[in-house]
């Protein structure tokens, strides 16, 4: 259309200024390209409607193109890259590095400057490596899972226990021992301690031709010995009187001249029940425990080891022999008793270590002939009348036990300055020894050592050679 063509006026009841569609501008669209090109006359009302439609169309097209352009920008324009946090080494090389950024980026420190977990672990590993290098060597086949760390704990416990050696060994050790081995009192465990002490310190161990001593004769190969570890009383039913003990007492003084007498006892009620469960019940001929007690069988069975049956014999034993024992251990206070013995004899805590040999208090235990041993009942589980009878038939056992307990308490008081600490050190030492020997990945050398510790009484008796010597076993990190 020619520029001179007049534009029709928009008739409205409200006069307004009309802006032609060309005011909505896009570079690629001409505002008049959508207007009618015919030269025919258009009425003003139809023209207004047409212009409105065209304006609306232009706005719609423009908005659509703007929206399309925005979406294209959102898709095609990449986001600005996130700046990478420099590593500690990169940050330290940059002279313009922000010190806060360096700390935050460090693998060895947290943002507040404290060591991170990785740094702590690294430091711990270095300390452990240095510690391992300073330790004495382990066997090549000692496993890393249990054996190696357990051996480290055992070595540490041993070193900690040596602080008491100066107190314990301040006098020459007493190492000529007439050990009176009793029945069902933990005596096999104590016997194994005596055996290992003799082997370690090159003492002469008496060699008996049988499991029980024959006190009527003396082995000519070891007429004089330092330590005796055997039962002298075999079948207790044969110990008919205190005269059997008197004969044995003379024999010990001949074989171990100037020897120190040591024995071990046990709380009488638990001792009686353990004796029944181990010796009587497995035979299959014994009555039930209740009937057995009510029949007053095994009366004063603990003192039977000394031939004592009645009060007159008990009085004689207490007046003539009880004080001859330098130490009377109590198995229900085992570690206190062992430490007291160490103080009295001048032995080290390591000399006392052991692994438990016989534990008939647990199910599945078998005695020497392979017969199963039932779990030992507790005295508290017995009916009242049975318990009262049990107390009456162990009265002599009760007398010697109370005497021995009083003696033990006196030793505790005597060494009270160091006693409790020594007991705690020994608890830890013996615990770590048993933990180490229970590892499934110990080496062959470790196994030999632990097997030596676990020898039963019959087994360690066989290890005594005819000349009274015995081979000792140890490991490089132990004495």
């Amino acid at each position: 259309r020619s520029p001179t063509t007049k534009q029709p006026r928009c008739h409205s009841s409200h006069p307004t200024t009309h802006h032609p569609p060309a005011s909505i501008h896009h570079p690629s669209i001409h505002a008049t390209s959508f207007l009618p090109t015919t030269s025919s006359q258009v009425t003003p009302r139809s023209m207004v409607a047409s212009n409105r439609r065209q304006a609306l169309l232009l706005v719609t097209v423009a908005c659509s193109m703007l929206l399309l352009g925005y979406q294209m920008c959102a898709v095609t324009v990449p986001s600005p890259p996130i700046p990478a946090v420099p590593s500690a080494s990169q940050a330290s090389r940059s002279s313009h590095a922000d010190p806060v950024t360096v700390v935050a980026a460090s693998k060895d420190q947290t943002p507040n400057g404290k060591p991170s977990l990785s740094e702590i672990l690294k430091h711990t590993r270095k300390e452990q490596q240095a510690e391992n290098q300073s330790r004495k060597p382990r066997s090549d086949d000692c496993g890393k899972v249990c054996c190696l760390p357990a051996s480290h704990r055992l070595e540490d416990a041993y070193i900690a226990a040596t602080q008491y050696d100066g107190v314990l060994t301040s006098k020459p050790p007493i190492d000529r021992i007439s050990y009176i081995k009793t029945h069902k009192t933990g005596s096999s465990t104590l016997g194994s301690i005596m055996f290992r002490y003799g082997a370690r310190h090159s003492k002469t161990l008496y060699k008996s031709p049988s499991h029980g001593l024959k006190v009527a004769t003396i082995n000519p190969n070891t007429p004089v010995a330092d330590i005796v570890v055997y039962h002298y009383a075999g079948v207790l039913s044969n110990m008919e009187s205190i005269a059997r003990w008197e004969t044995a007492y003379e024999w010990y003084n001949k074989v171990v001249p100037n020897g120190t007498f040591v024995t071990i006892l046990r709380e009488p009620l638990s001792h009686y029940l353990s004796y029944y469960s181990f010796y009587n019940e497995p035979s299959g001929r014994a009555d039930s425990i209740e009937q057995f007690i009510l029949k007053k069988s095994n009366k004063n069975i603990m003192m039977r080891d000394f031939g004592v049956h009645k009060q007159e014999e008990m009085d004689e034993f207490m007046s003539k022999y009880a004080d001859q024992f330098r130490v009377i251990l109590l198995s229900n206070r085992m570690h206190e008793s062992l430490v007291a013995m160490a103080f009295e004899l001048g032995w080290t805590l390591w000399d006392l270590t052991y692994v438990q040999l016989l534990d008939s208090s647990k199910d599945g235990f078998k005695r020497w002939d392979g017969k199963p041993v039932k779990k030992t009942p507790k005295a508290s589980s017995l009916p009242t009348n049975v318990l009262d009878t049990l107390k009456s038939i162990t009265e002599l056992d009760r007398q010697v036990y109370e005497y021995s307990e009083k003696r033990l308490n006196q030793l505790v008081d005597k060494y009270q300055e160091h006693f409790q600490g020594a007991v705690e050190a020994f608890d830890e030492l013996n615990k770590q020894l048993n933990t180490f020997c229970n590892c499934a990945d110990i080496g062959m050398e470790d196994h030999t050592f632990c097997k030596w510790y676990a020898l039963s009484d019959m087994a360690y008796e066989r290890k005594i050679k005819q000349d009274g010597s015995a081979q000792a076993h140890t490991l490089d990190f132990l004495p």
Side-chain angles (χ1 to χ4, degrees):
R1 177 173 296 182
S2 168
T4 59
T5 304
K6 287 186 178 181
Q7 299 296 327
R9 292 179 61 91
C10 181
H11 299 276
S12 174
S13 59
H14 301 284
T16 58
T17 304
H18 175 70
H19 297 282
S23 63
I24 302 175
H25 175 75
H26 190 278
S28 60
I29 302 176
H30 193 276
T32 60
S33 60
F34 294 99
L35 296 177
T37 55
T38 178
S39 57
S40 61
Q41 183 67 32
V42 181
T43 62
R45 186 175 297 276
S46 63
M47 185 63 182
V48 170
S50 177
N51 287 344
R52 288 179 178 175
R53 287 194 297 271
Q54 291 175 6
L56 180 61
L57 178 62
L58 285 173
V59 170
T60 301
V61 171
C63 289
S64 298
M65 295 191 69
L66 288 173
L67 179 62
L68 178 62
Y70 172 80
Q71 291 175 340
M72 291 178 63
C73 289
V75 173
T76 58
V77 177
S79 301
I82 300 174
V85 178
S87 66
S89 58
Q90 291 171 336
S92 62
R93 287 194 296 267
S94 174
S95 59
H96 302 288
D98 183 357
V100 176
T101 304
V102 173
V103 173
S106 173
K107 296 180 180 180
D108 297 338
Q109 289 183 322
T110 57
N112 60 7
K114 295 182 179 180
S116 66
L117 178 60
S118 62
E119 175 64 14
I120 294 173
L121 294 176
K122 184 192 300 182
H123 181 70
T124 302
R125 284 193 296 270
K126 288 181 179 179
E127 282 189 341
Q128 188 66 47
Q129 291 171 358
E131 181 183 2
N132 292 344
Q133 291 173 358
S134 66
R135 291 184 184 275
K136 295 180 180 180
R138 268 51 174 175
S139 57
D140 294 336
D141 50 352
C142 178
K144 302 297 188 295
V145 175
C146 181
C147 178
L148 187 61
S151 72
H152 290 167
R153 292 192 296 270
L154 174 56
E155 183 182 14
D156 293 341
Y158 164 69
I159 293 172
T162 58
Q163 65 179 303
Y164 295 96
D165 288 354
V167 179
L168 295 167
T169 61
S170 58
K171 55 187 177 183
I174 298 173
D175 48 18
R176 295 179 64 82
I177 307 297
S178 291
Y179 170 49
I180 308 304
K181 188 179 180 187
T182 51
H183 290 79
K184 296 310 296 172
T185 57
S187 62
S188 293
T189 297
L190 183 55
S192 72
I193 292 173
M194 298 289 182
F195 164 76
R196 285 190 296 274
Y197 182 91
R200 284 187 179 123
H201 298 279
S202 301
K203 300 301 175 181
T204 300
L205 297 159
Y206 182 80
K207 178 65 176 179
S208 174
S210 61
H211 178 50
L213 291 176
K214 306 296 183 182
V215 295
T217 61
I218 296 176
N219 184 353
N221 294 318
T222 53
V224 177
D226 296 312
I227 300 175
V228 180
V229 298
Y230 299 85
H231 280 294
Y232 90 90
V235 181
L236 294 186
S237 60
N238 296 334
M239 299 291 289
E240 65 276 359
S241 73
I242 196 173
R244 294 291 298 271
W245 162 247
E246 292 172 337
T247 301
Y249 183 76
E250 294 177 1
W251 182 93
Y252 278 100
N253 282 321
K254 289 179 182 177
V255 174
V256 189
N258 301 316
T260 298
F261 280 84
V262 174
T263 193
I264 183 169
L265 302 176
R266 181 176 179 176
E267 190 280 320
L269 301 185
S270 65
H271 172 264
Y272 184 99
L273 297 173
S274 178
Y275 190 96
Y276 166 84
S277 298
F278 190 81
Y279 288 109
N280 300 116
E281 196 279 334
S283 67
R285 301 186 301 272
D287 298 319
S288 67
I289 183 62
E290 292 83 5
Q291 293 174 329
F292 196 82
I293 293 172
L294 292 175
K295 288 182 177 180
K296 299 186 177 181
S297 303
N298 287 351
K299 191 174 182 180
N300 295 306
I301 193 65
M302 188 162 65
M303 281 308 296
R304 199 82 62 85
D305 265 303
F306 301 94
V308 172
H309 290 256
K310 51 190 178 181
Q311 188 64 54
E312 293 79 5
E313 292 175 325
M314 186 67 187
D315 294 339
E316 181 181 357
F317 178 84
M318 296 300 294
S319 62
K320 292 176 60 175
Y321 300 106
D323 289 344
Q324 298 302 313
F325 288 88
R326 182 69 173 263
V327 183
I328 302 177
L329 291 84
L330 301 177
S331 62
N332 50 296
R333 295 174 61 181
M334 190 66 167
H335 285 194
E336 286 181 284
S337 298
L338 287 172
V339 172
M341 185 178 75
F343 277 107
E344 282 293 285
L345 304 185
W347 292 12
T348 68
L349 294 182
W350 178 248
D351 289 326
L352 310 176
T353 52
Y354 68 93
V355 296
Q356 191 165 12
L357 302 181
L358 303 175
D359 187 3
S360 57
S361 65
K362 298 179 180 179
D363 290 323
F365 177 77
K366 293 183 179 180
R367 64 182 196 173
W368 75 92
D369 57 1
K371 291 183 178 180
V373 176
K374 292 182 179 179
K375 186 176 180 179
T376 303
K378 294 185 179 298
S380 58
S381 66
L382 299 174
T384 302
N385 64 321
V386 176
L387 182 58
D388 290 341
T389 303
L390 178 58
K391 290 178 180 178
S392 69
I393 63 176
T394 56
E395 174 57 29
L396 301 183
D397 294 347
R398 173 66 56 184
Q399 292 178 27
V400 73
Y401 175 79
E402 290 178 350
Y403 165 82
S404 304
E405 189 172 42
K406 181 179 178 181
R407 289 269 306 270
L408 177 58
N409 290 335
Q410 289 173 347
L411 291 178
V412 173
D413 293 339
K414 179 181 177 180
Y415 300 109
Q416 60 179 342
E417 181 181 356
H418 305 286
F419 193 85
Q420 188 57 41
V423 171
E424 293 174 359
F426 179 71
D427 285 345
E428 181 65 16
L429 176 59
N430 208 65
K431 171 187 172 183
Q432 296 305 334
L433 170 65
N434 280 263
T435 300
F436 172 75
C437 286
N438 284 328
C439 284
D441 59 350
I442 56 174
M444 290 300 297
E445 185 181 358
D446 310 315
H447 177 73
T448 300
F449 169 78
C450 292
K451 187 177 179 181
W452 182 63
Y453 253 84
L455 291 174
S456 66
D457 53 356
M458 293 184 181
Y460 62 66
E461 289 167 6
R462 289 193 295 267
K463 293 293 183 180
I464 302 173
K465 299 177 182 178
Q466 288 298 322
D467 63 355
S469 63
Q471 182 182 2
H473 295 271
T474 189
L475 299 172
D476 288 341
F477 62 94
L478 294 172

